[in-house]
Amino acid sequence: MSYKRYWIALAIVILASFAVLGGVGRKMISQAPPLPDVYTADGQLLFAGSSITNGQGVWQSIGGQEIGTVWGHGAYVAPDWSADWLHRESEFLLNLWAQRDGAANFAALNPDQQAVLKARLIREERTNTYDAAVNRVTISKDRAAAFQHLASYYAGIFANGQKDYAIPPGALTDTAKQQQLAEFFWWTAWATSTDRPGSSVTYTNNWPHEPLVANQPTTGAILWSIVSFVCLLGGIGALVWWYQSQEKIEVHGPYPARDPFLGTTPTPSQRATIKYFIVVVALWAVQILMGVLTAHYGVEGGGFYGIPLDKYLPYAITRTWHLQLAIFWIATSWLATGLYVGPAVSGHEPKYQRLGVNVLFVALVLVVGGSLAGEWFGIQQKLGNLWFWFGSQGYEYVDLGRFWQILLFIGLVLWLVLMVRALKPALRRDSEDHSLLSLFLVSSIAIPMFYAAGLMYGQRSHLVTAEYWRWWVVHLWVEGFFEVFATVVIAFLFTRLRLLEICSATRAVLFSTSIFLSGGIIGTFHHLYFAGSGAAVIALGAVFSALEVVPLTLIGYEAWENLRLARPTEKAPWIANYKWPIYFFVAVAFWNMVGAGLFGFLINPPIALYYMQGLNLTPVHGHTALFGVYGMLGLGLTLFCLRVLQPGRKWKEGALKSSFWCLNFGLIFMVVLSMLPIGLMQAWASIAQGTWYARSAEFLQTPTMQTLRWMRVPGDILFSIGAALLGWFVLGLLTGHSYEKPDNGASAKRKYDEREAELAAR
């Protein structure tokens, strides 16, 4: 069967999409908010633009996006510093002007007097006084006084600690760094409230919602949200029509009478991957523990059930580790699966392949251990100016220091070399699965290549530049090409089991990859609506992120097909051995629809994200998509590989069955009972009063919100039980307690039946 038209379509999608992503991204970076020298109206230098960059470094070094958010990106316990500064500065100015008029404060004025001062505030905040010729911004003495007041306020928070924000005492005690941090916060707020030259829209497209300075959704945010809804409905209709118009090809049966892996001997390199899967489970366990601590800090702030744990493991560290470990264990499971599948599909074990697999394992352990330790030392301010290289970069999901980041990239390149060596003989053959192998190779190449995007910014890069490239890693590496790679791997595993025909699997994978990437690549922009970008980013991000949801229309079919494949037949009872790995793939399909589809699109349209960015609806999407899709996929691949490494031994499935249901229902309860209600209430508060209020301690520390946080406990406990059961089961594959004890008589009869079936098949 020829797949030429599928390859042409895929090539067009990739080339055109990256041309748009690169071109618009370059313009976005070139038009980023300037880093000006700030002067008062009487000509006094308040601080230099270079000091803003220094302040950004201070913010990154103490945790950055793991302590509150800036422009809506980061953690959810502390405030969004840009929105918080903007609101506090606005209140300071209104009260100052009211007191000059003889009132006790702004609230004491009558409505007409308040309206006059509000209009004055809008002019003060939104008028752009930037002079590009001398790179200077001039502000009034009143705004300079507001800066000094707020600089002192924020210095107190980071020096003395703030329990409501889960910031421990002594987080930042250096007075010079405190001043630089305040200058960075001022700049982030200035960019949110100051109109771009020649425009009535701010540098952040009027985000955050702040009625005091007339920050409201832009016309483009509303219009392109409507267009995105139309595109979603149109795309779904077109896909369903296309699918129904296609000739249905039978992709199954008759199944083999015996397990195709039965009697095969794993190669030395395949056996060497077992330790990867053990590490996957171990890292996952630690990640869950860090998640428990991180969630509890939202309730207690300063410790764990009275234990002053924040002295040793502050919130910024536990959340950093929680996110980094998620990336590490999920990526490790996928990489290990690739190392297993390579020799399986080619039937060739290259010389020294096992050595390469072992060297890569040592390298990954070094990167994981070194980066986690470095993040602790960096956030605790124990690395000095080396924080960027060996500590934490302060950017969510790519927190690890640059040295460890480079080592990880080198490790991914080594993994690619091992993959190519294993696949080379198969690629040289003119076989039916050549196209599927080629896509396998392309997706393997993309994994180290797109991780390298995280090396495109430096320690003193502009925040907009760092955000642009960071989302290449998060969206294109984790959510994009890793998913393509995993899809191809699953197709190979099913074809290797002869549950799918190669031609049908190849066509399905090529088509789904083209459809997914047609929206997924340019859809990266939906993360950047308010990150110092222009109107084009809103338009493109809205439309193409809606198209990302379109392929999920067929998720139900995918889930049904996987369920069907898991059902044993009278002539192929061995399929029951793969039931639970396949069930994890079914869970992937379910959470892809719910987490990536429903909860993803809930926050993707510009008008929705305008009010919801930086609120708890984002981690609703994050948990259900990152774990629900990629985590479940990683666990499914892990179980599949462990299954085929010992295909003839029957598992005790009780613990595995309980684990599966505990994990899924635990995640459901976690979201439905706690995270979703908190996020919806925050969205209401954001729409009604402003982003600052939805993130404030006044709102988040109310009894209702505290109760909702505690309501997460049942889901967390159930989820943790599921993880413990899975860990016990995997441990049992090593010790033997997860295998059924062989019945000699039954075993002999089974072997006899298998020989008879094999002779009959011949």
Side-chain angles (χ1 to χ4, degrees):
M1 180 177 180
S2 175
Y3 307 103
K4 183 177 180 180
R5 61 189 178 120
Y6 290 98
W7 279 107
I8 292 175
L10 180 58
I12 291 173
V13 165
I14 292 176
L15 293 176
S17 297
F18 277 109
V20 173
L21 185 65
V24 175
R26 181 179 180 183
K27 183 177 180 180
M28 170 184 162
I29 292 172
S30 67
Q31 296 180 351
L35 297 168
D37 299 330
V38 180
Y39 284 79
T40 61
D42 60 359
Q44 296 295 316
L45 175 66
L46 193 59
F47 53 85
S50 59
S51 191
I52 296 173
T53 302
N54 293 337
Q56 179 180 327
V58 173
W59 166 70
Q60 291 174 245
S61 71
I62 62 175
Q65 291 177 338
E66 308 301 353
I67 302 181
T69 59
V70 165
W71 294 350
H73 295 299
Y76 309 101
V77 174
D80 180 273
W81 304 112
S82 42
D84 194 64
W85 183 292
L86 176 59
H87 185 76
R88 291 182 184 278
E89 179 180 289
S90 299
E91 286 190 326
F92 179 91
L93 292 174
L94 290 173
N95 286 323
L96 177 64
W97 296 335
Q99 289 167 2
R100 285 180 183 167
D101 290 341
N105 51 43
F106 177 73
L109 297 175
N110 63 49
D112 290 338
Q113 293 172 318
Q114 288 183 348
V116 171
L117 293 187
K118 284 181 179 179
R120 179 180 175 183
L121 176 67
I122 291 171
R123 289 194 304 271
E124 181 87 16
E125 292 285 345
R126 297 189 72 98
T127 300
N128 195 334
T129 61
Y130 177 64
D131 186 347
V134 292
N135 190 40
R136 174 184 296 189
V137 160
T138 302
I139 63 174
S140 67
K141 288 186 177 181
D142 291 342
R143 289 191 73 178
F147 170 81
Q148 298 297 353
H149 170 76
L150 291 178
S152 176
Y153 167 76
Y154 287 109
I157 287 178
F158 286 94
N160 304 322
Q162 170 56 271
K163 182 179 178 181
D164 291 340
Y165 298 163
I167 297 176
L172 184 67
T173 56
D174 186 302
T175 55
K177 290 183 177 180
Q178 290 172 353
Q179 180 72 11
Q180 291 169 346
L181 181 63
E183 291 159 1
F184 172 67
F185 285 170
W186 177 91
W187 174 80
T188 65
W190 173 81
T192 66
S193 61
T194 302
D195 292 339
R196 285 182 180 272
S199 171
S200 60
V201 176
T202 71
Y203 288 103
T204 57
N205 287 312
N206 285 359
W207 190 91
H209 179 220
E210 178 52 81
L212 290 179
V213 298
N215 264 9
Q216 302 289 346
T218 64
T219 303
I222 299 172
L223 174 63
W224 288 110
S225 295
I226 297 172
V227 172
S228 73
F229 300 147
V230 175
C231 289
L232 174 62
L233 294 175
I236 290 174
L239 184 62
V240 171
W241 178 86
W242 177 89
Y243 178 76
Q244 288 298 115
S245 69
Q246 297 302 297
E247 179 183 358
K248 299 300 182 292
I249 299 177
E250 188 72 10
V251 298
H252 57 84
Y255 295 143
R258 66 194 297 268
D259 188 341
F261 284 100
L262 196 63
T264 60
T265 302
T267 68
S269 70
Q270 288 177 320
R271 289 191 178 278
T273 62
I274 293 177
K275 54 182 167 289
Y276 283 79
F277 298 118
I278 296 172
V279 167
V280 164
V281 176
L283 292 179
W284 181 39
V286 179
Q287 191 233 346
I288 292 173
L289 176 60
M290 291 300 106
V292 170
L293 295 177
T294 300
H296 190 78
Y297 276 131
V299 177
E300 195 170 338
F304 187 74
Y305 293 102
I307 302 172
L309 196 62
D310 61 336
K311 182 178 180 181
Y312 309 101
L313 283 176
Y315 175 89
I317 291 175
T318 62
R319 190 174 191 272
T320 298
W321 285 358
H322 181 60
L323 294 181
Q324 285 300 287
L325 286 167
I327 298 295
F328 283 143
W329 77 257
I330 292 172
T332 299
S333 68
W334 295 6
L335 295 176
T337 301
L339 294 173
Y340 174 85
V341 169
V345 300
S346 67
H348 172 68
E349 172 84 348
K351 191 175 182 180
Y352 302 122
Q353 184 78 354
R354 180 173 180 270
L355 175 62
V357 171
N358 289 333
V359 169
L360 178 60
F361 178 79
V362 173
L364 289 177
V365 170
L366 175 64
V367 169
V368 172
S371 64
L372 295 180
E375 286 157 359
W376 187 89
F377 281 102
I379 291 174
Q380 295 286 62
Q381 299 292 286
K382 297 180 183 297
L383 291 180
N385 292 327
L386 296 176
W387 60 267
F388 181 82
W389 284 94
F390 299 99
S392 170
Q393 293 186 38
Y395 292 121
E396 198 176 27
Y397 293 107
V398 286
D399 300 85
L400 71 172
R402 178 55 54 88
F403 174 76
W404 309 111
Q405 195 177 21
I406 292 172
L407 286 186
L408 181 55
F409 171 70
I410 293 173
L412 292 174
V413 172
L414 173 58
W415 172 82
L416 177 61
V417 171
L418 295 172
M419 293 294 297
V420 172
R421 294 176 77 244
L423 293 172
K424 189 182 295 184
L427 290 168
R428 288 174 175 172
R429 294 194 299 262
D430 186 16
S431 58
E432 189 180 10
D433 61 357
H434 191 271
S435 281
L436 200 57
L437 277 169
S438 298
L439 187 57
F440 192 13
L441 179 62
V442 169
S443 61
S444 298
I445 294 172
I447 288 174
M449 183 172 69
F450 283 98
Y451 184 76
L455 304 175
M456 298 300 291
Y457 58 87
Q459 182 172 346
R460 296 184 65 81
S461 290
H462 196 289
L463 181 60
V464 171
T465 302
E467 280 292 276
Y468 175 73
W469 289 112
R470 180 175 75 91
W471 284 111
W472 274 56
V473 177
V474 179
H475 189 84
L476 293 177
W477 183 62
V478 177
E479 300 179 24
F481 285 92
F482 244 132
E483 182 166 337
V484 173
F485 171 81
T487 302
V488 179
V489 167
I490 292 175
F492 265 120
L493 292 174
F494 281 152
T495 56
R496 186 72 174 80
L497 287 172
R498 302 178 193 171
L499 300 179
L500 291 179
E501 295 178 0
I502 292 176
C503 62
S504 299
T506 303
R507 188 181 70 168
V509 169
L510 282 169
F511 175 74
S512 62
T513 299
S514 297
I515 294 296
F516 171 72
L517 293 181
S518 65
I521 295 174
I522 300 178
T524 304
F525 282 133
H526 79 258
H527 298 286
L528 300 167
Y529 291 150
F530 314 116
S533 58
V537 169
I538 286 185
L540 292 168
V543 171
F544 284 90
S545 64
L547 295 179
E548 285 186 82
V549 183
V550 170
L552 302 181
T553 305
L554 302 180
I555 283 294
Y557 173 76
E558 177 188 341
W560 174 256
E561 282 297 295
N562 286 338
L563 276 172
R564 180 186 57 75
L565 294 175
R567 294 173 181 170
T569 66
E570 183 178 344
K571 294 183 179 180
W574 59 269
I575 295 177
N577 294 336
Y578 296 89
K579 173 183 176 179
W580 289 107
I582 294 176
Y583 266 44
F584 273 87
F585 297 151
V586 174
V588 170
F590 171 79
W591 288 111
N592 214 354
M593 183 65 240
V594 174
L598 295 179
F599 292 140
F601 192 71
L602 172 66
I603 62 175
N604 275 2
I607 189 61
L609 198 57
Y610 179 82
Y611 293 108
M612 298 175 185
Q613 177 146 302
L615 308 185
N616 274 273
L617 290 174
T618 302
V620 166
H621 165 60
H623 281 74
T624 54
L626 183 58
F627 177 79
V629 179
Y630 304 110
M632 285 290 187
L633 183 56
L635 295 178
L637 292 172
T638 295
L639 291 171
F640 208 113
C641 291
L642 292 174
R643 173 70 279 178
V644 297
L645 282 168
Q646 292 281 350
R649 302 187 65 183
K650 188 172 180 58
W651 284 353
K652 289 182 180 178
E653 297 181 340
L656 190 54
K657 177 181 179 180
S658 299
S659 170
F660 176 82
W661 293 114
C662 284
L663 289 174
N664 281 281
F665 278 102
L667 184 56
I668 290 173
F669 293 156
M670 192 187 307
V671 170
V672 173
L673 297 180
S674 180
M675 297 169 67
L676 183 59
I678 290 174
L680 291 174
M681 290 184 67
Q682 279 188 297
W684 185 284
S686 175
I687 295 169
Q689 298 196 46
T691 304
W692 71 273
Y693 180 68
R695 291 291 302 274
S696 67
E698 294 93 322
F699 179 75
L700 290 175
Q701 298 301 323
T702 58
T704 299
M705 299 302 285
Q706 290 288 66
T707 300
L708 286 173
R709 283 198 179 94
W710 279 109
M711 288 299 294
R712 181 169 165 172
V713 171
D716 283 357
I717 291 175
L718 193 59
F719 188 89
S720 299
I721 291 172
L725 288 171
L726 186 62
W728 173 254
F729 175 81
V730 172
L731 179 63
L733 296 180
L734 299 178
T735 64
H737 71 252
S738 292
Y739 291 107
E740 296 280 3
K741 292 182 179 180
D743 183 339
N744 293 332
S747 177
K749 184 178 183 303
R750 184 169 59 252
K751 290 180 180 179
Y752 173 82
D753 291 340
E754 288 172 351
R755 285 197 300 269
E756 289 296 309
E758 185 177 0
L759 290 173
R762 291 178 180 175

